Amino acid sequence: MVHNQIFRRGITEQKILAAFTDVPRHLFVPLSKRNSSYEDYPLSIGAGQTISQPYIVALMTKVLDVCEGQKVLEIGTGSGYQAAILAHLGVEVYSVERISSLAHNAKETLARLGYSVRIHVGDGTLGWQEHSPYERIVVTAATPGVSPYWMKQLNVGGKLVVPLGGPLRQDLTVAQKVSDNDIQEDIVCGCMFVPLIGKYGYRE
Ligand code: SAH
């Protein structure tokens, strides 16, 4: 997985490759799908949700551009795999998930592996005010537009990585907060995520 799907597609940062080598992806995949854990596609994790394709997780990690010790907010905990990769890179991860059964499973898996990721069940389009501001925000579900709460809870100079677009197809976008009310957006590539559901998602 690391060599063929991630390194050969241009993600060569040693720390990121080490995180993907060290974090056991199969523990984030339901038992019935374990044989496919390291394949080059997303997998269903129940409740109609998915764990993203390994390359997409790696690409989001790369463009999120984190440094050890930074505070990162993830919207869409899902299996907890992206959170584990970020925690492995030494960042302080706060993650919001709307489906409590997924949040519960992710919490267990992360704790079992010794990652101290904080997880909150709720509507991530509202961010997580309590621990703000964040240096980075990563949204792992398809998003119709940047939530004003994310803008408010992100530091000036901070980055937001988010799949922006319609429910069927999005542009993976890196948005840098350049001042209190302005962001500068760069599109990385096309992508396909499950939809964000909530106040600033596709529906409430
Ligand atoms: N990062 C995950 C992949 C998540 S899939 C992983 O590594 O496995 C997207 C997740 O976003 C789903 O679990 C879905 O339930 C969640 N989601 C959708 N809308 C949300 C919202 N408003 N707030 C928080 N989570 C949301």
Side-chain angles (χ1 to χ4, degrees), residues 29-193:
V29 168
L31 277 176
S32 61
K33 304 227 162 39
R34 286 254 157 111
N35 288 342
S36 308
S37 298
Y38 295 91
E39 299 296 333
D40 196 13
Y41 42 75
L43 294 166
S44 158
I45 53 171
Q49 308 304 322
T50 55
I51 175 173
S52 303
Q53 176 195 13
Y55 172 66
I56 278 288
V57 184
L59 183 61
M60 289 181 92
T61 305
K62 175 183 162 135
V63 298
L64 194 63
D65 182 30
V66 292
C67 299
E68 222 175 301
Q70 282 183 328
K71 262 165 85 175
V72 179
L73 175 66
E74 178 192 31
I75 311 299
T77 318
S79 67
Y81 183 62
Q82 171 81 78
I85 295 287
L86 292 172
H88 196 91
L89 290 169
V91 308
E92 220 177 280
V93 188
Y94 297 86
S95 188
V96 184
E97 170 58 53
R98 62 176 277 275
I99 300 176
S100 57
S101 58
L102 294 179
H104 175 82
N105 289 344
K107 237 181 230 175
E108 268 192 2
T109 311
L110 288 161
R112 174 175 163 196
L113 292 170
Y115 295 118
S116 68
V117 171
R118 266 159 285 182
I119 296 178
H120 166 66
V121 177
D123 177 4
T125 71
L126 308 178
W128 191 353
Q129 167 69 32
E130 192 187 342
H131 301 287
S132 69
Y134 303 96
E135 270 121 1
R136 298 285 186 269
I137 299 181
V138 58
V139 184
T140 65
T143 304
V146 174
S147 159
Y149 288 88
W150 302 337
M151 273 298 277
K152 223 178 288 164
Q153 293 172 22
L154 186 63
N155 270 338
V156 173
K159 286 183 188 174
L160 166 72
V161 173
V162 55
L164 283 181
L168 299 178
R169 180 121 198 103
Q170 308 88 38
D171 289 322
L172 184 61
T173 305
V174 180
Q176 181 151 27
K177 180 167 166 179
V178 289
S179 72
D180 275 338
N181 301 307
D182 291 302
I183 48 171
Q184 233 166 41
E185 291 183 3
D186 279 311
I187 293 174
V188 179
C189 62
C191 58
M192 252 180 78
F193 279 81

